[in-house]
Amino acid sequence: MINIVLVILGVIAGVFILVSGAMGIYPLHSINQVVLCLYFILIGLAVIVLEIAMPAAWVSWLGFYSRWAGKGAFFIFFGFLILGPAGYGLVAGIYVIVLGAVFIVLHFINKVPPPVPLTRRNEVSSGGAGGNYQRYNEGGFFIFFGFLILGPAGYGLVAGIYVIVLGAVFIVLHFINKVPPPVPLTRRNEVSSGGAGGNYQRYN
């Protein structure tokens, strides 16, 4: 029962994020605004889908969503992004931030099972859905933050373009089979032995 309630609360958060993106597109001020609002719309849709059913193709891209701490941090981050000074933005932002904080608290309660989509909630007892999701990777992450820091000129312009282009490169590498998955510098020697390399997923 508690899982169903949490799923419903998560779906509502997804709707808040989606609507915030749709409302932010007009009036148009800059390309950054359009891109970020489209991101909010996509993220909102993704949250709704993830709460109802985690598609198998998304497993290696959004594995953090299968842990309360990762899910909570995700909600808090986007809650602050959509937070407004009054009205809808204030209500939506506070709701998503508070829900994210609740998820982080759940992370430290051992008796609470990991988050599972509504249509897969029966898999919790068998250890199914929760433990198999993998971590998300850098490409889309870099592009999103690139647009966040992108400025009209000077440092903001250079830094934003650099991070966006790097994210695009990572996404291209995702489709090149001969390129090994990303591995931290201090663990690069484990790739040849099948250690760390096999556990890191491809660029997204």
Side-chain angles (χ1 to χ4, degrees):
M1 181 63 183
I2 184 64
N3 182 67
I4 296 178
V5 172
L6 292 172
V7 166
I8 293 173
L9 294 175
V11 169
I12 294 173
V15 172
F16 273 141
I17 296 173
L18 187 157
V19 174
S20 294
M23 292 175 62
I25 292 180
Y26 184 83
L28 178 63
H29 296 294
S30 67
I31 185 65
N32 299 50
Q33 173 190 345
V34 174
V35 172
L36 290 177
C37 287
L38 289 177
Y39 255 110
F40 291 153
I41 292 173
L42 291 175
I43 290 296
L45 287 172
V47 167
I48 294 171
V49 172
L50 290 169
E51 291 295 334
I52 297 174
M54 171 77 86
W58 295 18
V59 169
S60 64
W61 295 60
L62 300 165
F64 68 93
Y65 207 84
S66 68
R67 295 171 177 82
W68 289 121
K71 187 174 180 178
F74 176 81
F75 274 46
I76 290 174
F77 174 73
F78 278 97
F80 275 108
L81 284 181
I82 67 174
L83 184 65
Y88 177 84
L90 181 63
V91 174
I94 290 178
Y95 175 89
V96 177
I97 291 169
V98 171
L99 185 59
V102 170
F103 288 159
I104 289 180
V105 171
L106 292 178
H107 173 77
F108 297 98
I109 302 177
N110 294 330
K111 293 183 179 181
V112 179
V116 179
L118 182 62
T119 57
R120 304 180 67 181
R121 63 186 183 279
N122 293 329
E123 299 178 33
V124 175
S125 59
S126 61
N132 294 325
Y133 298 133
Q134 303 298 319
R135 287 191 174 277
Y136 70 100
N137 297 318
E138 291 97 322
F141 179 82
F142 273 46
I143 291 177
F144 175 75
F145 279 96
F147 276 106
L148 274 183
I149 66 174
L150 184 64
Y155 176 82
L157 179 64
V158 174
I161 290 177
Y162 174 84
V163 176
I164 292 169
V165 170
L166 186 59
V169 169
F170 287 161
I171 290 177
V172 170
L173 291 177
H174 172 77
F175 297 99
I176 301 177
N177 293 328
K178 292 184 179 180
V179 178
V183 179
L185 182 63
T186 56
R187 304 183 67 181
R188 64 188 184 279
N189 293 329
E190 299 179 35
V191 177
S192 59
S193 62
N199 295 325
Y200 290 93
Q201 302 301 312
R202 286 203 163 275
Y203 299 89
N204 290 330

